[in-house]
Amino acid sequence: MKVYSIDGITPVVDPTAFVHPTAVLIGDVIVGPDCYIGPAACLRGDFGRLELKRGANLQDTCVMHAFPGTDTVVEEDGHIGHGAVLHGCVIGKNALVGMNSVIMDGAVIGESSIVAAMSFVKAKMEVAPRTLVAGSPAKIIKELTDKEVDWKSAGTRQYQNLAVRSMTTMQEVDALTEVEADRPRLQVGMEGVIPKYKSDK
């Protein structure tokens, strides 16, 4: 990882968290236990504090930033999909932000809620717990079922496992020039993961 202090403030990364070597952390950034930070993620804590709490993940190319004097927080087991932008917002415990979504300043995403992919959550919007929101601007779609919350939680557990797998087996290597005979496939446990998400309507 690329880590930079600014104004004498240095990022903090718990030893049990995995931060990809291409991720960038600047200034007032706190990464808690069992977190996963993906490739090319940028956490720029040069105006306000950025914090990921236990078991949260921030996937590839995500951006976290904030206006001066504000915090951007992903609570415990928060799940931030590829390419999302979090700016001065709070993502509640066990909530999911879908791929390429943008969550603006002062917005609060409630516990165990889901923001659908490609959504734009306006500044100061408050999403109640266990709610699905979608669209640009995001609108409330429905209350989530237990099955849908379980689906989200199972996916987050996979990223918590990925943090461990990455710390124990990932290494920089040279690419092979051809596919080897009997090339193995990844053996990733899928216990508790619903194979295909299907909304209950």
Side-chain angles (χ1 to χ4, degrees):
M1 72 187 108
K2 306 246 184 222
V3 180
Y4 303 90
S5 66
I6 190 168
D7 296 335
I9 300 177
T10 300
V12 177
V13 177
D14 187 275
T16 63
F18 173 79
V19 180
H20 191 273
T22 61
V24 177
L25 282 59
I26 301 170
D28 195 1
V29 176
I30 302 170
V31 179
D34 306 320
C35 289
Y36 173 89
I37 308 292
C42 179
L43 295 84
R44 188 157 64 85
D46 50 11
F47 287 163
R49 176 168 294 174
L50 314 179
E51 184 170 7
L52 279 81
K53 298 194 176 179
R54 180 182 294 275
N57 68 75
L58 187 79
Q59 297 170 23
D60 323 50
T61 73
C62 287
V63 173
M64 288 182 73
H65 195 235
F67 278 123
T70 64
D71 292 355
T72 306
V73 180
V74 180
E75 299 282 359
E76 183 176 346
D77 296 334
H79 189 111
I80 313 302
H82 316 286
V85 176
L86 307 181
H87 205 279
C89 56
V90 174
I91 309 303
K93 180 178 180 180
N94 199 46
L96 181 150
V97 174
M99 294 181 277
N100 287 317
S101 292
V102 176
I103 317 296
M104 292 301 293
D105 299 273
V108 177
I109 307 301
E111 180 174 347
S112 297
S113 289
I114 295 176
V115 177
M118 303 287 289
S119 295
F120 178 78
V121 176
K122 295 191 295 188
K124 299 184 180 178
M125 181 177 184
E126 295 193 14
V127 176
R130 294 178 63 102
T131 301
L132 172 65
V133 298
S136 183
K139 292 183 173 22
I140 294 170
I141 304 300
K142 65 171 202 157
E143 183 177 345
L144 293 169
T145 65
D146 289 344
K147 182 178 179 182
E148 290 164 332
V149 172
D150 289 346
W151 169 83
K152 181 271 159 199
S153 298
T156 300
R157 285 193 296 274
Q158 288 298 310
Y159 270 89
Q160 292 164 350
N161 291 337
L162 179 58
V164 175
R165 290 169 54 213
S166 297
M167 284 189 289
T168 55
T169 70
M170 184 183 287
Q171 55 187 310
E172 188 170 359
V173 297
D174 293 325
L176 302 175
T177 57
E178 59 183 46
V179 177
E180 64 269 53
D182 300 321
R183 180 179 175 87
R185 289 189 177 269
L186 291 168
Q187 301 296 317
V188 179
M190 296 299 285
E191 298 82 9
V193 176
I194 299 167
K196 185 176 181 182
Y197 172 73
K198 184 175 181 182
S199 178
D200 296 330
K201 291 188 178 179

